[in-house]
Coordinates of all heavy atoms in Angstrom, one line a residue:
M424 N -10.6 7.5 -23.6 CA -9.8 6.4 -24.0 C -10.6 5.2 -24.2 O -11.4 4.9 -23.3 CB -8.7 6.2 -23.0 CG -7.6 7.3 -23.1 SD -6.1 6.8 -22.2 CE -6.6 6.4 -20.6
P425 N -10.4 4.5 -25.2 CA -11.2 3.2 -25.4 C -10.7 2.1 -24.5 O -9.6 2.0 -24.1 CB -11.0 2.8 -26.9 CG -9.8 3.6 -27.3 CD -9.6 4.8 -26.4
I426 N -11.6 1.1 -24.3 CA -11.4 -0.1 -23.6 C -11.3 -1.3 -24.6 O -12.2 -1.5 -25.3 CB -12.5 -0.3 -22.5 CG1 -12.5 0.8 -21.5 CG2 -12.2 -1.7 -21.8 CD1 -13.7 0.7 -20.6
Y427 N -10.1 -1.9 -24.5 CA -9.9 -3.0 -25.4 C -10.0 -4.3 -24.7 O -9.7 -4.4 -23.5 CB -8.5 -2.9 -26.1 CG -8.4 -1.7 -27.0 CD1 -7.8 -0.6 -26.6 CD2 -8.9 -1.7 -28.3 CE1 -7.6 0.5 -27.4 CE2 -8.9 -0.6 -29.1 CZ -8.2 0.4 -28.7 OH -8.0 1.5 -29.5
E428 N -10.4 -5.3 -25.3 CA -10.5 -6.6 -24.7 C -9.5 -7.6 -25.3 O -9.3 -7.7 -26.4 CB -11.9 -7.2 -25.1 CG -12.4 -8.4 -24.3 CD -13.7 -8.9 -24.6 OE1 -14.4 -8.5 -25.6 OE2 -14.3 -9.9 -23.8
Y429 N -8.9 -8.3 -24.2 CA -7.9 -9.2 -24.6 C -8.2 -10.6 -24.0 O -9.1 -10.7 -23.0 CB -6.5 -8.8 -24.0 CG -6.0 -7.6 -24.7 CD1 -6.3 -6.3 -24.2 CD2 -5.1 -7.7 -25.7 CE1 -5.7 -5.2 -24.9 CE2 -4.5 -6.6 -26.4 CZ -4.9 -5.4 -25.9 OH -4.3 -4.3 -26.6
E430 N -7.5 -11.7 -24.5 CA -7.7 -13.0 -24.0 C -6.4 -13.6 -23.6 O -5.5 -13.6 -24.4 CB -8.4 -13.9 -25.0 CG -8.8 -15.3 -24.5 CD -9.7 -16.0 -25.4 OE1 -9.5 -16.0 -26.6 OE2 -10.5 -16.9 -24.9
C431 N -6.4 -14.1 -22.4 CA -5.1 -14.8 -21.9 C -5.5 -16.3 -21.8 O -6.5 -16.6 -21.3 CB -4.8 -14.2 -20.6 SG -3.5 -15.1 -19.7
P432 N -4.6 -17.1 -22.2 CA -4.9 -18.6 -22.1 C -4.9 -19.2 -20.7 O -5.6 -20.1 -20.5 CB -3.7 -19.3 -22.9 CG -2.7 -18.3 -23.0 CD -3.3 -16.9 -22.9
K433 N -4.3 -18.5 -19.8 CA -4.4 -18.9 -18.4 C -5.5 -18.2 -17.6 O -6.3 -18.9 -16.8 CB -3.0 -18.6 -17.7 CG -1.9 -19.5 -18.2 CD -0.6 -19.1 -17.4 CE 0.5 -19.9 -17.9 NZ 1.8 -19.6 -17.2
C434 N -5.7 -16.9 -17.8 CA -6.6 -16.1 -16.9 C -7.9 -15.9 -17.6 O -8.9 -15.5 -16.9 CB -5.9 -14.8 -16.6 SG -4.4 -14.9 -15.8
G435 N -8.1 -16.0 -18.9 CA -9.3 -15.8 -19.5 C -9.3 -14.4 -20.2 O -8.3 -13.8 -20.4
R436 N -10.6 -13.8 -20.3 CA -10.7 -12.5 -20.9 C -10.5 -11.4 -19.9 O -10.9 -11.5 -18.7 CB -12.1 -12.3 -21.5 CG -12.2 -13.2 -22.7 CD -13.5 -13.0 -23.4 NE -13.6 -13.8 -24.6 CZ -14.5 -13.8 -25.5 NH1 -15.5 -12.8 -25.4 NH2 -14.5 -14.5 -26.5
F437 N -9.9 -10.3 -20.3 CA -9.8 -9.1 -19.5 C -9.8 -7.9 -20.3 O -9.7 -7.9 -21.5 CB -8.5 -9.2 -18.7 CG -7.2 -9.2 -19.5 CD1 -6.6 -7.9 -19.7 CD2 -6.6 -10.3 -20.0 CE1 -5.4 -7.9 -20.4 CE2 -5.5 -10.2 -20.7 CZ -4.9 -9.0 -20.9
D438 N -10.1 -6.7 -19.8 CA -10.1 -5.4 -20.4 C -8.9 -4.6 -20.1 O -8.3 -4.7 -19.0 CB -11.4 -4.7 -20.0 CG -12.7 -5.4 -20.3 OD1 -12.6 -6.1 -21.4 OD2 -13.7 -5.2 -19.7
A439 N -8.6 -3.8 -21.0 CA -7.4 -2.8 -20.8 C -7.8 -1.5 -21.3 O -8.3 -1.3 -22.5 CB -6.2 -3.4 -21.5
L440 N -7.7 -0.4 -20.5 CA -7.9 0.9 -20.9 C -6.6 1.5 -21.5 O -5.6 1.6 -20.9 CB -8.3 1.7 -19.7 CG -8.7 3.2 -19.9 CD1 -9.9 3.3 -20.8 CD2 -8.9 3.9 -18.6
Q441 N -6.7 1.8 -22.8 CA -5.5 2.3 -23.6 C -5.9 3.4 -24.5 O -7.0 3.5 -25.0 CB -4.9 1.1 -24.5 CG -4.4 -0.1 -23.7 CD -4.0 -1.2 -24.6 OE1 -4.8 -1.7 -25.4 NE2 -2.7 -1.5 -24.6
K442 N -4.9 4.2 -24.8 CA -4.9 5.2 -25.8 C -5.1 4.5 -27.2 O -4.6 3.4 -27.4 CB -3.8 6.2 -25.9 CG -3.7 7.0 -24.6 CD -2.5 7.9 -24.8 CE -2.3 8.9 -23.5 NZ -1.1 9.7 -23.7
M443 N -5.7 5.2 -28.1 CA -5.8 4.6 -29.5 C -4.4 4.5 -30.2 O -4.1 3.6 -30.9 CB -6.7 5.4 -30.4 CG -8.2 5.4 -30.0 SD -9.3 6.3 -30.9 CE -9.4 5.3 -32.4
S444 N -3.4 5.3 -29.7 CA -2.1 5.3 -30.3 C -1.2 4.3 -29.6 O -0.1 4.1 -30.2 CB -1.5 6.7 -30.2 OG -1.4 7.1 -28.8
D445 N -1.6 3.7 -28.5 CA -0.8 2.7 -27.9 C -0.8 1.4 -28.6 O -1.7 1.1 -29.2 CB -1.4 2.4 -26.4 CG -1.1 3.6 -25.4 OD1 -0.3 4.5 -25.7 OD2 -1.7 3.5 -24.3
P446 N 0.4 0.7 -28.6 CA 0.4 -0.6 -29.3 C -0.3 -1.6 -28.5 O -0.6 -1.5 -27.3 CB 1.9 -0.9 -29.3 CG 2.6 -0.1 -28.2 CD 1.7 1.2 -28.1
A447 N -0.8 -2.6 -29.2 CA -1.6 -3.7 -28.5 C -0.7 -4.4 -27.5 O 0.5 -4.6 -27.7 CB -2.1 -4.6 -29.6
L448 N -1.3 -4.9 -26.4 CA -0.6 -5.6 -25.5 C -0.1 -7.0 -26.0 O -0.8 -7.6 -26.9 CB -1.5 -6.0 -24.2 CG -1.9 -4.7 -23.4 CD1 -2.9 -5.2 -22.3 CD2 -0.8 -4.0 -22.9
Q449 N 1.1 -7.4 -25.6 CA 1.7 -8.7 -26.1 C 1.7 -9.8 -25.0 O 1.5 -10.9 -25.2 CB 3.0 -8.5 -26.7 CG 3.2 -7.5 -27.8 CD 2.5 -8.0 -29.0 OE1 2.5 -9.2 -29.3 NE2 1.8 -7.1 -29.8
V450 N 1.8 -9.2 -23.7 CA 2.0 -10.1 -22.6 C 1.0 -9.6 -21.5 O 0.9 -8.4 -21.3 CB 3.4 -10.0 -22.0 CG1 3.6 -10.9 -20.8 CG2 4.4 -10.4 -23.2
H451 N 0.4 -10.6 -20.8 CA -0.5 -10.3 -19.7 C 0.3 -9.9 -18.5 O 1.2 -10.6 -18.1 CB -1.4 -11.5 -19.3 CG -2.5 -11.1 -18.5 ND1 -3.2 -12.1 -17.8 CD2 -3.1 -10.0 -18.1 CE1 -4.2 -11.6 -17.1 NE2 -4.1 -10.3 -17.2
E452 N 0.1 -8.7 -17.9 CA 0.9 -8.2 -16.9 C 0.8 -9.1 -15.5 O 1.6 -9.1 -14.7 CB 0.5 -6.7 -16.5 CG 0.8 -5.8 -17.6 CD 0.4 -4.4 -17.4 OE1 -0.3 -4.2 -16.3 OE2 0.6 -3.5 -18.2
V453 N -0.4 -9.8 -15.4 CA -0.7 -10.5 -14.2 C 0.2 -11.8 -14.2 O 0.7 -12.1 -13.2 CB -2.2 -10.8 -14.0 CG1 -2.5 -11.6 -12.8 CG2 -2.9 -9.4 -13.9
C454 N 0.0 -12.5 -15.3 CA 0.7 -13.9 -15.3 C 1.8 -14.0 -16.2 O 2.5 -15.0 -16.1 CB -0.4 -15.0 -15.5 SG -1.1 -14.9 -17.2
G455 N 2.0 -13.1 -17.1 CA 3.1 -13.2 -18.0 C 2.9 -13.9 -19.3 O 3.8 -14.1 -20.1
S456 N 1.7 -14.4 -19.5 CA 1.3 -15.2 -20.7 C 1.2 -14.3 -21.9 O 0.8 -13.2 -21.7 CB 0.1 -16.0 -20.5 OG 0.3 -16.9 -19.5
K457 N 1.3 -14.9 -23.0 CA 1.1 -14.1 -24.3 C -0.4 -13.9 -24.5 O -1.1 -14.9 -24.3 CB 1.7 -14.9 -25.5 CG 1.7 -14.2 -26.8 CD 2.5 -14.9 -27.8 CE 2.6 -14.0 -29.1 NZ 3.4 -14.6 -30.1
V458 N -0.9 -12.8 -24.9 CA -2.3 -12.5 -25.0 C -2.6 -12.2 -26.5 O -1.7 -11.8 -27.3 CB -2.7 -11.3 -24.1 CG1 -2.6 -11.7 -22.6 CG2 -2.0 -10.0 -24.6
R459 N -3.9 -12.2 -26.8 CA -4.3 -11.8 -28.2 C -5.5 -10.9 -28.0 O -6.3 -11.0 -27.1 CB -4.7 -13.0 -29.0 CG -5.9 -13.7 -28.6 CD -6.1 -15.0 -29.6 NE -7.4 -15.6 -29.3 CZ -8.4 -15.6 -30.0 NH1 -8.5 -15.0 -31.2 NH2 -9.6 -16.2 -29.5
K460 N -5.5 -9.9 -28.9 CA -6.6 -8.8 -28.8 C -7.8 -9.4 -29.5 O -7.7 -10.0 -30.6 CB -6.0 -7.6 -29.5 CG -6.9 -6.3 -29.4 CD -6.3 -5.2 -30.1 CE -7.0 -3.9 -30.0 NZ -6.4 -2.8 -30.6
L461 N -9.0 -9.2 -28.9 CA -10.2 -9.6 -29.4 C -11.0 -8.5 -30.0 O -10.9 -7.3 -29.6 CB -11.0 -10.2 -28.2 CG -10.4 -11.4 -27.5 CD1 -11.3 -11.8 -26.3 CD2 -10.2 -12.6 -28.4
M462 N -11.8 -8.8 -31.0 CA -12.8 -7.9 -31.5 C -14.1 -8.0 -30.8 O -14.6 -9.1 -30.6 CB -13.0 -8.2 -33.0 CG -11.8 -8.1 -33.9 SD -11.4 -6.3 -34.1 CE -12.6 -5.8 -35.4
S463 N -14.5 -6.9 -30.2 CA -15.8 -7.0 -29.4 C -16.7 -5.9 -29.8 O -16.3 -4.9 -30.4 CB -15.5 -7.0 -27.9 OG -14.7 -5.8 -27.6
A464 N -17.9 -6.0 -29.4 CA -19.0 -4.9 -29.7 C -18.6 -3.7 -29.0 O -18.3 -3.7 -27.8 CB -20.3 -5.4 -29.4
S465 N -18.6 -2.6 -29.7 CA -18.3 -1.3 -29.0 C -19.6 -0.8 -28.3 O -20.7 -1.1 -28.7 CB -17.8 -0.3 -30.0 OG -18.8 -0.1 -31.0
A466 N -19.3 -0.1 -27.3 CA -20.4 0.6 -26.6 C -20.3 2.2 -26.8 O -19.2 2.7 -26.6 CB -20.3 0.3 -25.1
F467 N -21.3 2.7 -27.3 CA -21.3 4.2 -27.5 C -22.7 4.8 -27.1 O -23.7 4.0 -27.1 CB -20.9 4.5 -28.9 CG -21.8 3.9 -30.0 CD1 -22.9 4.6 -30.5 CD2 -21.5 2.6 -30.4 CE1 -23.7 4.0 -31.4 CE2 -22.3 2.1 -31.4 CZ -23.4 2.7 -31.9
A468 N -22.7 6.0 -26.9 CA -23.9 6.7 -26.6 C -24.2 7.8 -27.6 O -23.3 8.5 -28.0 CB -23.9 7.3 -25.2
F469 N -25.5 7.9 -28.0 CA -25.9 9.0 -28.9 C -26.1 10.3 -28.1 O -26.8 10.3 -27.1 CB -27.2 8.7 -29.7 CG -27.0 7.6 -30.5 CD1 -27.6 6.4 -30.3 CD2 -26.4 7.7 -31.8 CE1 -27.5 5.3 -31.2 CE2 -26.2 6.7 -32.6 CZ -26.8 5.5 -32.4
K470 N -25.4 11.3 -28.3 CA -25.5 12.6 -27.6 C -25.9 13.7 -28.6 O -25.5 13.6 -29.8 CB -24.3 13.0 -27.0 CG -23.9 12.0 -25.8 CD -22.7 12.6 -25.1 CE -22.4 11.6 -23.9 NZ -21.3 12.1 -23.1
G471 N -26.7 14.6 -28.2 CA -27.2 15.6 -29.0 C -28.6 15.4 -29.5 O -29.1 14.4 -29.3
S472 N -29.1 16.2 -30.3 CA -30.4 16.2 -30.8 C -30.4 15.4 -32.2 O -29.4 15.4 -32.8 CB -31.2 17.4 -30.9 OG -30.5 18.3 -31.8
G473 N -31.5 14.9 -32.6 CA -31.6 14.3 -33.9 C -31.6 12.8 -33.8 O -31.7 12.2 -34.9
F474 N -31.5 12.2 -32.7 CA -31.5 10.8 -32.5 C -32.8 10.4 -31.8 O -33.2 11.1 -30.9 CB -30.4 10.3 -31.7 CG -29.0 10.6 -32.4 CD1 -28.2 11.6 -31.9 CD2 -28.6 9.8 -33.4 CE1 -27.0 11.8 -32.5 CE2 -27.4 10.1 -34.1 CZ -26.6 11.1 -33.6
Y475 N -33.4 9.2 -32.1 CA -34.6 8.8 -31.5 C -34.4 8.6 -30.0 O -35.3 9.1 -29.3 CB -35.0 7.4 -32.1 CG -36.1 6.8 -31.3 CD1 -37.4 7.2 -31.6 CD2 -35.9 5.8 -30.4 CE1 -38.5 6.7 -30.9 CE2 -36.9 5.3 -29.7 CZ -38.2 5.8 -30.0 OH -39.3 5.2 -29.3
I476 N -33.3 8.1 -29.6 CA -33.1 7.8 -28.2 C -33.0 9.2 -27.4 O -33.4 9.2 -26.2 CB -31.8 7.0 -28.0 CG1 -31.8 6.4 -26.6 CG2 -30.5 7.7 -28.2 CD1 -30.9 5.2 -26.4
T477 N -32.4 10.2 -27.9 CA -32.3 11.4 -27.2 C -33.6 12.3 -27.3 O -33.9 13.2 -26.4 CB -31.1 12.2 -27.7 OG1 -31.2 12.6 -29.0 CG2 -29.8 11.6 -27.4
D478 N -34.3 12.2 -28.4 CA -35.5 13.0 -28.6 C -36.7 12.4 -28.0 O -37.6 13.0 -27.5 CB -35.7 13.3 -30.0 CG -34.6 14.3 -30.5 OD1 -33.9 14.9 -29.7 OD2 -34.4 14.4 -31.7
Y479 N -37.0 11.1 -28.2 CA -38.2 10.4 -27.9 C -38.0 9.2 -27.0 O -38.9 8.8 -26.4 CB -39.0 10.0 -29.2 CG -39.2 11.1 -30.1 CD1 -38.5 11.2 -31.3 CD2 -40.1 12.1 -29.8 CE1 -38.7 12.2 -32.2 CE2 -40.3 13.1 -30.7 CZ -39.6 13.2 -31.9 OH -39.7 14.2 -32.7
G480 N -36.9 8.6 -27.0 CA -36.7 7.3 -26.3 C -36.9 7.4 -24.8 O -36.4 8.3 -24.2
G481 N -37.8 6.6 -24.2 CA -38.1 6.6 -22.8 C -39.0 7.7 -22.3 O -39.4 7.7 -21.1
K482 N -39.5 8.5 -23.1 CA -40.5 9.5 -22.7 C -41.9 9.0 -22.9 O -42.2 8.2 -23.7 CB -40.3 10.8 -23.5 CG -39.0 11.5 -23.3 CD -38.9 12.7 -24.2 CE -37.6 13.4 -24.0 NZ -37.4 14.6 -24.8
S483 N -42.8 9.5 -22.0 CA -44.2 9.1 -22.1 C -44.9 9.8 -23.3 O -44.3 10.8 -23.8 CB -44.9 9.5 -20.8 OG -45.0 10.9 -20.7
A484 N -46.0 9.3 -23.7 CA -46.7 9.9 -24.8 C -47.1 11.3 -24.5 O -47.1 12.1 -25.4 CB -47.9 9.0 -25.1
A485 N -47.4 11.6 -23.2 CA -47.8 13.0 -22.9 C -46.7 13.9 -23.1 O -46.9 15.1 -23.4 CB -48.3 12.9 -21.5
A486 N -45.4 13.5 -22.9 CA -44.3 14.4 -23.0 C -44.0 14.7 -24.5 O -43.5 15.7 -24.9 CB -43.0 13.8 -22.4
I487 N -44.3 13.7 -25.3 CA -44.1 13.9 -26.8 C -45.1 14.8 -27.4 O -44.8 15.6 -28.2 CB -44.1 12.5 -27.5 CG1 -42.9 11.7 -27.0 CG2 -44.0 12.7 -29.0 CD1 -42.9 10.3 -27.5
T488 N -46.4 14.8 -27.0 CA -47.4 15.5 -27.5 C -47.8 16.6 -26.5 O -48.6 16.4 -25.6 CB -48.7 14.8 -28.0 OG1 -49.0 14.0 -26.8 CG2 -48.3 13.8 -29.1
P489 N -47.2 17.8 -26.6 CA -47.6 18.8 -25.5 C -48.9 19.4 -25.6 O -49.3 20.2 -24.9 CB -46.4 19.8 -25.7 CG -46.0 19.7 -27.1 CD -46.2 18.3 -27.5
D490 N -49.7 19.1 -26.7 CA -51.0 19.7 -26.9 C -52.0 19.2 -25.8 O -52.9 19.9 -25.6 CB -51.5 19.3 -28.2 CG -50.7 19.8 -29.4 OD1 -49.8 20.6 -29.1 OD2 -50.9 19.4 -30.6
R491 N -51.8 18.1 -25.2 CA -52.7 17.6 -24.3 C -52.6 18.4 -23.0 O -51.5 18.8 -22.5 CB -52.4 16.1 -23.9 CG -52.8 15.2 -24.9 CD -52.5 13.8 -24.4 NE -53.5 12.8 -24.8 CZ -53.5 11.6 -24.6 NH1 -52.5 11.0 -23.9 NH2 -54.5 10.8 -24.9
K492 N -53.8 18.6 -22.3 CA -53.8 19.2 -21.1 C -53.7 18.1 -20.0 O -54.4 17.1 -20.2 CB -55.1 20.0 -20.9 CG -55.1 21.3 -21.9 CD -56.4 22.0 -21.6 CE -56.4 23.2 -22.6 NZ -57.6 23.9 -22.5
P493 N -53.0 18.3 -18.9 CA -53.1 17.4 -17.8 C -54.5 17.2 -17.2 O -55.2 18.2 -17.1 CB -52.2 17.9 -16.8 CG -51.9 19.3 -17.1 CD -52.2 19.5 -18.6
E494 N -54.8 15.9 -17.0 CA -56.2 15.6 -16.5 C -56.3 16.1 -15.0 O -55.3 15.7 -14.2 CB -56.5 14.2 -16.7 CG -56.7 13.7 -18.1 CD -57.0 12.3 -18.2 OE1 -57.4 11.7 -17.2 OE2 -56.8 11.7 -19.3
S495 N -57.3 16.8 -14.6 CA -57.4 17.2 -13.2 C -58.4 16.3 -12.6 O -59.4 15.8 -13.2 CB -57.8 18.6 -13.2 OG -59.1 18.8 -13.7
K496 N -58.1 16.0 -11.3 CA -59.1 15.1 -10.5 C -60.2 16.0 -10.0 O -60.0 17.1 -9.6 CB -58.3 14.5 -9.3 CG -57.3 13.5 -9.7 CD -56.6 13.0 -8.6 CE -55.5 11.9 -8.9 NZ -54.9 11.4 -7.7
P497 N -61.4 15.5 -10.2 CA -62.6 16.2 -9.6 C -62.5 16.3 -8.1 O -62.1 15.3 -7.5 CB -63.8 15.4 -10.1 CG -63.3 14.1 -10.4 CD -61.9 14.2 -10.8
E498 N -62.9 17.5 -7.6 CA -62.9 17.6 -6.1 C -64.0 16.8 -5.5 O -65.1 16.9 -6.0 CB -62.9 19.1 -5.8 CG -61.7 19.9 -6.3 CD -61.7 21.3 -5.8 OE1 -62.5 21.6 -4.8 OE2 -61.2 22.2 -6.5
P499 N -63.7 16.1 -4.4 CA -64.9 15.4 -3.7 C -65.8 16.4 -3.1 O -65.5 17.4 -2.6 CB -64.2 14.5 -2.7 CG -62.8 15.2 -2.4 CD -62.6 15.9 -3.7
K500 N -67.1 15.9 -3.2 CA -68.2 16.7 -2.5 C -68.0 16.6 -1.0 O -67.8 15.6 -0.5 CB -69.5 16.3 -3.0 CG -69.8 16.5 -4.5 CD -71.1 16.0 -4.8 CE -71.3 16.2 -6.3 NZ -72.7 15.6 -6.7
S501 N -68.3 17.7 -0.3 CA -68.1 17.6 1.2 C -69.2 16.7 1.8 O -68.9 16.1 2.8 CB -68.2 19.0 1.7 OG -69.5 19.6 1.4
D502 N -70.3 16.6 1.2 CA -71.4 15.8 1.9 C -71.0 14.3 1.6 O -71.2 13.5 2.6 CB -72.8 16.0 1.2 CG -73.2 17.5 1.4 OD1 -72.6 18.1 2.4 OD2 -74.1 17.9 0.8
A503 N -70.5 13.9 0.5 CA -70.2 12.5 0.2 C -69.0 12.0 1.0 O -68.9 10.8 1.2 CB -70.0 12.3 -1.3
C504 N -68.1 12.9 1.4 CA -66.9 12.4 2.0 C -66.8 12.9 3.4 O -65.7 13.3 3.9 CB -65.7 12.8 1.2 SG -64.3 11.8 1.5
A505 N -67.9 13.1 4.1 CA -67.9 13.7 5.5 C -67.1 12.8 6.5 O -66.5 13.3 7.4 CB -69.3 13.9 6.0
G506 N -67.2 11.5 6.3 CA -66.6 10.5 7.2 C -65.1 10.2 6.9 O -64.4 9.5 7.5
C507 N -64.6 10.9 5.7 CA -63.3 10.6 5.2 C -62.3 11.3 6.1 O -62.4 12.5 6.4 CB -63.3 11.1 3.8 SG -62.3 10.1 2.7
P508 N -61.1 10.6 6.5 CA -60.1 11.3 7.3 C -59.4 12.4 6.5 O -58.9 13.4 7.1 CB -59.1 10.2 7.6 CG -59.6 8.9 7.1 CD -60.8 9.2 6.4
A509 N -59.3 12.2 5.2 CA -58.7 13.2 4.3 C -59.4 14.5 4.4 O -58.9 15.6 4.3 CB -58.6 12.8 2.9
S510 N -60.8 14.5 4.4 CA -61.6 15.7 4.4 C -61.4 16.4 5.7 O -61.5 17.6 5.8 CB -62.9 15.4 4.1 OG -63.6 14.6 5.1
K511 N -61.2 15.7 6.8 CA -61.1 16.4 8.1 C -59.8 17.1 8.2 O -59.7 18.1 8.8 CB -61.2 15.3 9.2 CG -62.6 14.7 9.3 CD -62.6 13.6 10.4 CE -64.0 13.0 10.4 NZ -64.0 11.9 11.5
S512 N -58.7 16.5 7.6 CA -57.4 17.1 7.7 C -57.3 18.3 6.8 O -56.6 19.3 7.1 CB -56.3 16.2 7.4 OG -56.4 15.7 6.0
A513 N -58.0 18.3 5.7 CA -58.1 19.4 4.8 C -58.8 20.7 5.3 O -58.6 21.8 4.9 CB -58.7 19.0 3.4
A514 N -59.8 20.4 6.2 CA -60.7 21.5 6.7 C -60.0 22.3 7.8 O -59.1 22.1 8.3 CB -62.0 20.9 7.3

């Protein structure tokens, strides 16, 4: 069900969740004033494939190009890291 925006002269703007087949509100239920329906920007989400936002939006470059191999870290030499606490716990 869509959310419609209305304006009340006493209370200001408010939203109403209504069916598309429901008639527009004439009176504000809270204060009893006459209201008018406003035109506002709609909010919608692209679902499914074929849209930039669902296929590529927000993904890293590595996720888009699967040809790349993940970089592996070189293993530290045991002589160079003898005093390292990480090497003692690994052994």
Side-chain angles (χ1 to χ4, degrees):
M424 287 195 304
I426 298 173
Y427 294 102
E428 189 175 14
Y429 291 90
E430 186 172 35
C431 173
K433 291 182 181 177
C434 305
R436 292 184 177 191
F437 66 95
D438 297 331
L440 181 68
Q441 297 178 295
K442 291 182 182 178
M443 292 180 77
S444 60
D445 287 347
L448 296 179
Q449 301 294 321
V450 178
H451 192 195
E452 295 175 356
V453 176
C454 67
S456 297
K457 191 173 182 177
V458 297
R459 68 182 183 112
K460 190 174 182 180
L461 301 174
M462 294 291 278
S463 56
S465 62
F467 59 92
F469 293 110
K470 292 186 178 182
S472 63
F474 298 105
Y475 172 79
I476 196 162
T477 56
D478 292 341
Y479 306 108
K482 294 182 181 176
S483 67
I487 295 172
T488 55
D490 298 351
R491 285 185 142 175
K492 294 181 182 177
E494 294 180 16
S495 60
K496 294 182 180 179
E498 294 183 22
K500 295 180 182 176
S501 60
D502 297 345
C504 204
C507 217
S510 67
K511 291 179 185 175
S512 63

